[in-house]
């Protein structure tokens, strides 16, 4: 009696399966196995790996997700390594002979990686309670909070390391073409800087769409969004000047110590500064990696200058008055910390 | 036009898909004769030198013009038309597959289907091909594409690196939400990372063997003499900074998964009376459930699909399973499915 191991998501409420004896080769161990096809969710589905491989890894024969938790093997192993504090990994063979050799071992007793836990009800329950205690110990907002901390920590070490790295790269020709002294005013295109490398382009596009009120804000005839993550800056171009005006009006703004008004957009853990850039041009943001990094450092200095004098508090932003102020304060503290760190190094 | 702030407004939803190429105009499926005999099995000429393998696709997907509704939309098809992605579907609105760029809704639906198929419904493999081409692997969620053969795609036209990056950004940006683009001048190749894997799969097919020349280039007429783009799966980024970013992302994801697991385990406990004693004692502890607003911002293991959207689907799923008789539900819980028909079926 070898019943196929298929999860209920794949199977649906289907109870009729058709067997094709030795119908295909297993995608994991390359040995022939009995394929079962069935119709569910209006389409024909079939098993793609053999029962033994599925038992060894405790995964569904159709969707290859963990049978207990319904998540990919890689994710399961990562979760378990966090919980158990050791490296849990499902090691896979790359050579055909080795694949078959592993497949010879009986799946009921031989479990790979995280399958040891999830194939056993008691162990799973124990791990679940461990997860609960981990999540309870960390406060509920921990997943959101942990990220910026680690991110800033990484950028701290980065910037410290890189200041030494590019002393002889000249970016003055780039800085000449960038709107460094410009302010936030209505324009068809804008320059964004102080973008954390972890912020994806689509997040910026979504945020702009939210501010402008339409998803089709960008110019379709040319490159509308160009973010240079290495230089931590980018540019956006609007379809029409009306939308550009609307953006300039709705985006929260602050005044720098030198008196220029700049826009600021809070996105994840970075506060993106915005100024008008009518001559939006990708080439001005640098081509070579070293050039981009150096440019990023130069822009970082500008950001520091803009936020530096605490006597002149940034003016209230329209949308998030108090919150923005607090976060500016937070940011400043971080900045100060970073400077101290630089001196130490 | 600018009524909806969300990206839910798609003009293609109001019109039928157009025929990209008339059937009569399609080129012969037999390639130009380069050998003595034609091998029907491999669709290739043999006995002779194989001639030039690389070519430029004379057709190209123009998303704004070609997107539209097909009979697949009515039938609830989840997979996309491979020929549509290459710009050469001759069936138009009669096509059984979808004729549009994968959107967020499609990605939610695709994620419910098995992880072992790509967005065109083709089976993935355990390992990547040696040249990193082809359908890809089910072991890794790869959202990054490698783009090579740029010189050939430009017919050796000399362009500045920012111009090349602009062109890449422009054509790849139309095919889905981009996370980051990086053009490496020294190697004359580029990397494009998408928000979703389905978009990477789609644009891999759409952009393979395409030219990077545009209408206004003087080489445009001779574009077919070049050799199209090589679009392949990318390996992991060796840049330590990128790896750190990846790691942070993964940590965040695993925390999210842990939260989801806890929620799910609680649901199972409250849903069934037959839970084992060990698990039910765990269930007595109440979990800190995040509010709906928090859920809105959280992202699930399926990169960046709002958890609320998944939850909705999950709820629907549960309603279905609740209608099953008690006995069957218990069987489902044990995850190895009981197979009632006889062995000899």
């Amino acid at each position: 009696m070898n019943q196929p191991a298929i999860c209920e998501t794949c199977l649906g409420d289907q109870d009729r399966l058709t067997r094709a004896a030795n119908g295909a080769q297993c995608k994991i161990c390359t040995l022939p196995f009995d394929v079962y096809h069935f119709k569910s969710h209006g389409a024909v589905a079939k098993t793609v790996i053999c029962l033994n491989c599925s038992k060894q890894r405790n995964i569904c024969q159709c969707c290859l997700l963990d049978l207990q938790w319904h998540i990919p093997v890689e994710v399961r192993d990562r979760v378990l390594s966090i919980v158990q504090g050791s490296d849990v990994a499902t090691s896979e063979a790359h050579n055909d002979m080795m694949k078959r050799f592993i497949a010879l071992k009986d799946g009921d007793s031989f479990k790979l990686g995280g399958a040891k836990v999830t194939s056993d009800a008691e162990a799973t329950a124990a791990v679940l309670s461990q997860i609960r205690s981990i999540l309870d110990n960390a406060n509920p907002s921990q997943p959101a909070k942990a990220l910026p901390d680690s991110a800033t920590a990484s950028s701290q070490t980065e910037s410290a390391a890189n200041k030494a790295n590019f002393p002889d790269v000249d970016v003055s020709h780039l800085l000449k073409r960038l709107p460094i002294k410009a302010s936030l005013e209505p324009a068809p295109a804008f320059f964004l800087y102080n973008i954390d490398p972890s912020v994806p382009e689509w997040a910026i596009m979504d945020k702009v769409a939210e501010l402008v009120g339409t998803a089709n804000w960008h110019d379709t005839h040319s490159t509308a969004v160009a973010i240079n993550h290495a230089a931590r800056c980018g540019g956006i171009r609007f379809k029409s000047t009306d939308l550009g005006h609307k953006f300039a009006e709705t985006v929260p703004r602050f005044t720098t110590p030198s008196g220029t008004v700049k826009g600021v957009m809070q996105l994840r853990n970075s506060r993106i500064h915005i100024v008008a850039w009518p001559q939006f041009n990708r080439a001005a943001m640098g081509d070579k990696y070293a050039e981009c990094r150096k440019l990023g450092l130069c822009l970082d200095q500008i950001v520091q200058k803009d936020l530096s004098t605490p006597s002149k508090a940034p003016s209230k932003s329209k949308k998030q008055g108090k919150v923005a102020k607090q976060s500016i304060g937070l940011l400043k503290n971080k900045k100060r910390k970073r400077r101290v760190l630089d001196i130490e190094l | 036009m600018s009524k909806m702030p969300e990206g839910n407004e798609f003009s293609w939803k109001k019109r039928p898909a157009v025929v990209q190429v008339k059937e009569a105009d399609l080129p012969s499926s037999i390639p130009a004769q380069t050998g003595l005999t034609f091998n029907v099995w491999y669709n290739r000429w043999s006995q002779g030198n194989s001639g030039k393998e690389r070519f430029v696709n004379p057709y190209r997907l123009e998303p704004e013009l070609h997107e539209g509704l097909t009979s697949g939309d009515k039938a609830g098809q989840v997979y996309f038309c491979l020929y549509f992605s290459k710009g050469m579907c001759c069936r138009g609105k009669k096509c059984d597959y979808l004729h549009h760029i994968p959107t967020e809704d499609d990605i939610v639906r695709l994620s419910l289907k098995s992880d072992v198929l790509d967005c065109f419904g083709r089976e993935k493999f355990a390992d990547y091909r040696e040249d990193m081409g082809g359908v890809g692997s089910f072991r890794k969620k790869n959202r990054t594409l490698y783009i090579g053969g740029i010189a050939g795609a430009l017919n050796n036209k000399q362009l500045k690196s920012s111009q090349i990056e602009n062109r890449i950004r422009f054509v790849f940006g139309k095919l889905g939400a981009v996370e980051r683009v990086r053009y490496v001048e020294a190697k004359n190749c580029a990397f494009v990372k998408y928000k979703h894997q389905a978009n990477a799969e789609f644009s891999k097919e759409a952009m393979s063997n395409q030219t990077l020349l545009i209408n206004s280039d003087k080489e445009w007429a001779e574009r077919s003499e070049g050799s199209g783009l090589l679009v392949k799966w990318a390996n992991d980024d060796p840049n330590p900074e990128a790896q750190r970013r990846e790691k942070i992302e993964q940590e965040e994801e695993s925390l999210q998964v842990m939260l989801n697991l806890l929620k799910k385990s609680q649901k199972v406990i409250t849903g069934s009376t037959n839970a084992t004693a060990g698990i039910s004692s765990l269930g007595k502890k109440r979990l800190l459930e995040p509010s709906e607003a928090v859920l809105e911002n959280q992202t699930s293991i399926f990169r960046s699909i709002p958890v609320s959207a998944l939850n909705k689907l999950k709820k629907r799923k549960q309603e279905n399973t609740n209608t099953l008789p008690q006995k069957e539900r218990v069987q489902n819980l044990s995850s190895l499915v009981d197979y009632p028909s006889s062995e000899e079926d």
Side-chain angles (χ1 to χ4, degrees):
Chain A
M1 278 298 285
N2 275 334
Q3 292 156 350
I6 303 172
C7 66
E8 61 178 300
T9 325
C10 291
L11 199 61
D13 45 7
Q14 184 60 261
D15 53 2
R16 287 174 57 88
L17 297 101
T18 315
R19 188 178 68 173
N22 287 341
Q25 80 169 20
C26 166
K27 293 230 168 181
I28 290 179
C29 68
T30 73
L31 295 173
F33 73 106
D34 290 2
V35 180
Y36 290 86
H37 339 227
F38 53 93
K39 216 167 171 186
S40 78
H41 310 296
V44 177
K46 62 173 189 176
T47 55
V48 293
I49 59 165
C50 65
L51 184 63
N52 198 39
C53 283
S54 125
K55 276 181 190 161
Q56 285 176 356
R57 292 159 184 81
N58 196 38
I59 53 180
C60 166
Q61 277 186 276
C62 285
C63 61
L64 308 185
L65 300 179
D66 187 88
L67 277 169
Q68 186 75 32
W69 287 345
H70 214 72
I71 55 177
V73 175
E74 203 192 344
V75 180
R76 170 191 75 186
D77 289 349
R78 234 182 285 133
V79 167
L80 286 174
S81 3
I82 291 176
V83 172
Q84 301 180 342
S86 59
D87 225 10
V88 180
T90 305
S91 55
E92 297 286 2
H94 293 292
N95 140 332
D96 270 12
M97 236 37 220
M98 203 56 210
K99 283 178 187 170
R100 288 173 205 171
F101 177 69
I102 292 176
L104 291 178
K105 299 182 178 169
D106 181 25
D108 287 320
S109 51
F110 177 76
K111 301 281 181 193
L112 282 163
K116 280 177 204 120
V117 174
T118 54
S119 57
D120 180 5
E122 274 177 37
T124 313
V127 164
L128 273 179
S129 68
Q130 261 177 306
I131 289 178
R132 182 162 299 138
S133 63
I134 287 174
L135 290 180
D136 281 347
N137 287 346
N139 62 54
S141 61
Q142 198 259 351
K145 238 183 178 176
L147 185 71
D149 286 348
S150 44
T152 45
S154 68
S155 63
Q156 272 170 18
T157 50
E158 247 168 61
S159 57
N162 286 325
K163 251 175 204 155
N165 272 1
F166 314 106
D168 51 346
V169 181
D170 182 32
V171 289
S172 55
H173 63 288
L174 296 176
L175 288 170
K176 237 180 266 167
R177 297 168 73 182
L178 289 174
I180 289 161
K181 298 200 174 72
S183 62
L184 181 73
E185 54 199 26
F190 294 88
F191 180 58
L192 319 178
Y193 57 103
N194 197 25
I195 301 172
D196 194 272
S198 67
V199 176
E201 270 184 46
W202 54 263
I204 294 171
M205 290 176 79
D206 287 355
K207 183 77 181 176
V208 174
E210 193 185 295
L211 284 169
V212 184
T214 169
N216 318 324
W217 54 267
H218 40 83
D219 192 5
T220 47
H221 302 296
S222 62
T223 316
V225 181
I227 309 292
N228 187 344
H229 283 100
R232 300 159 61 89
C233 65
I236 53 172
R237 195 201 315 270
F238 285 92
K239 194 160 58 176
S240 63
T241 32
D242 291 349
L243 283 169
H245 283 243
K246 199 173 173 192
F247 178 70
E249 278 162 25
T250 46
V251 73
R253 48 181 69 203
F254 73 102
T255 315
T256 59
S258 54
T260 30
V261 177
K262 290 187 176 178
V264 66
M265 208 156 66
Q266 178 74 47
L267 204 60
R268 304 207 182 171
N269 50 351
S270 75
R271 290 169 54 77
I272 300 170
H273 290 207
I274 302 158
V275 291
W277 192 16
Q279 308 85 356
F280 169 45
N281 182 356
R282 169 66 189 83
M285 290 189 283
D287 298 326
K288 298 186 180 62
Y289 188 66
E291 219 171 62
C292 294
R293 296 302 296 266
K294 177 81 186 229
L295 181 62
L297 293 174
C298 290
L299 290 171
D300 196 44
Q301 280 169 4
I302 295 169
V303 172
Q304 299 242 345
K305 220 187 280 169
D306 283 353
L307 297 172
S308 55
T309 35
S311 58
K312 223 175 190 180
S315 70
K316 250 188 205 172
S317 54
K318 271 183 192 171
K319 272 194 173 173
Q320 347 131 289
K322 216 174 173 186
V323 185
K325 233 180 185 177
Q326 278 173 351
S327 47
I328 286 170
L330 265 176
L331 198 85
K332 268 185 198 156
N333 288 343
K334 270 176 202 161
K335 287 275 148 68
R336 246 175 247 143
K337 256 186 230 157
R338 183 193 287 185
R339 240 178 253 131
V340 172
L341 265 178
D342 288 347
I343 293 162
E344 278 170 2
L345 285 167
Chain B
M1 196 189 82
S2 54
K3 270 177 194 166
M4 290 179 70
E6 300 296 316
N8 295 332
E9 172 189 25
F10 298 113
S11 53
W12 58 265
K13 283 193 174 166
K14 292 168 203 126
R15 59 167 193 241
V18 294
V19 173
Q20 290 172 308
V21 187
K22 281 200 202 103
E23 195 166 357
D25 298 342
L26 276 176
S28 160
S29 59
I30 300 172
Q33 182 165 4
T34 54
L36 288 175
T37 44
F38 188 68
N39 187 335
V40 223
W41 186 255
Y42 290 109
N43 202 26
R44 208 177 269 171
W45 289 93
S46 50
Q47 296 174 24
N49 56 352
S50 53
K52 203 174 74 168
E53 284 280 310
R54 308 263 305 274
F55 63 99
V56 174
N57 187 352
Y59 309 106
R60 156 175 254 168
L61 170 64
E62 302 289 350
E64 303 92 37
L65 301 175
H66 295 168
E67 279 185 320
L69 294 175
T70 60
S71 60
D73 282 290
K74 278 174 216 145
Q77 177 63 256
V78 296
Y79 300 118
F80 293 85
C81 179
L82 184 61
Y83 296 96
F84 164 75
S85 78
K86 293 178 192 291
M88 51 191 290
C89 184
C90 61
R91 306 206 60 195
K93 61 181 180 187
K94 289 184 202 138
C95 187
D96 293 330
Y97 292 87
L98 302 180
H99 274 209
H100 58 86
I101 310 289
T103 61
E104 299 274 334
D105 299 345
D106 298 315
I107 282 143
V108 173
R109 286 196 298 162
L110 274 171
S111 75
L112 278 190
K113 293 283 170 171
S114 68
D115 258 339
V116 287
L117 303 177
D118 75 347
C119 73
F120 302 106
R122 303 178 296 181
E123 281 181 20
K124 293 184 193 170
F125 299 90
D127 300 309
Y128 282 111
R129 244 164 60 172
E130 209 147 280
D131 61 356
M132 297 300 277
V135 180
S137 157
F138 54 70
R139 293 234 173 93
K140 193 180 158 204
K141 280 222 180 287
N142 198 342
R143 299 182 285 132
T144 315
L145 296 177
Y146 159 89
I147 295 140
I150 292 174
L154 285 166
N155 291 20
N156 293 320
K157 182 185 168 77
Q158 293 301 317
L159 284 179
K160 281 189 210 131
S161 71
S162 58
Q163 284 174 307
I164 297 177
E165 189 186 321
N166 261 343
R167 288 188 181 195
I168 289 172
R169 221 177 249 285
F170 183 61
V171 287
F172 283 84
K174 282 196 210 167
L175 301 171
V178 170
E179 189 158 323
R180 63 188 71 234
V181 176
R182 181 158 141 66
Y183 172 69
V184 185
E185 196 185 10
K187 308 266 182 209
N188 201 19
C189 70
F191 295 92
V192 177
K193 187 171 188 185
Y194 280 94
K195 183 181 180 184
H196 298 294
Q197 196 186 12
N199 284 113
E201 285 158 0
F202 189 89
S203 64
K204 182 173 174 297
E205 288 307 329
M207 288 313 297
S208 292
N209 300 315
Q210 291 287 356
T211 177
L212 272 183
L213 292 170
I214 50 173
N215 244 329
S216 54
D217 291 330
K218 63 175 188 292
E219 290 90 342
W220 174 251
E222 290 98 52
R223 61 187 184 279
S224 58
E225 274 152 36
S227 55
L229 282 180
L230 277 178
V231 186
K232 297 168 174 180
W233 294 109
N235 285 311
D236 285 329
D237 194 342
N239 184 355
E241 189 197 328
Q243 283 180 346
R244 205 182 305 127
R245 211 162 46 217
E246 195 77 4
K247 214 175 154 199
I248 290 169
E249 227 168 74
Q250 284 178 353
E251 264 168 34
E252 191 188 8
E253 185 191 314
S254 359
L255 276 173
Q256 193 54 49
V257 169
M258 278 153 81
L259 264 176
N260 286 351
L261 283 178
L262 276 188
K263 250 178 265 162
K264 213 155 106 191
S265 73
Q266 205 157 33
K267 238 178 223 172
V268 170
I269 290 156
T270 48
S272 81
T273 47
N274 307 26
T276 59
I279 297 174
S280 63
S281 69
L282 286 173
K284 275 170 198 161
K285 284 188 212 156
R286 276 217 67 82
L287 188 85
L288 285 164
E289 288 253 355
S291 64
E292 199 64 34
V294 177
L295 275 180
E296 218 48 73
N297 296 328
Q298 283 172 351
T299 50
S300 72
I301 52 161
F302 307 106
R303 283 286 310 160
S304 319
I305 301 163
V307 172
S308 52
L310 273 181
N311 277 352
K312 228 179 275 168
L313 287 162
K314 227 187 272 166
K315 255 176 222 160
R316 210 185 301 158
K317 185 100 223 154
Q318 232 185 8
E319 275 160 28
N320 290 342
T321 46
N322 282 347
T323 55
L324 294 175
Q326 185 74 15
K327 193 184 133 207
E328 239 173 274
R329 215 192 313 157
V330 175
Q331 281 169 359
N332 284 343
L333 276 177
S334 67
S335 75
L336 273 179
V337 172
D338 207 358
Y339 180 51
S341 44
S342 79
E343 273 278 88
E344 299 311 308
D345 253 14

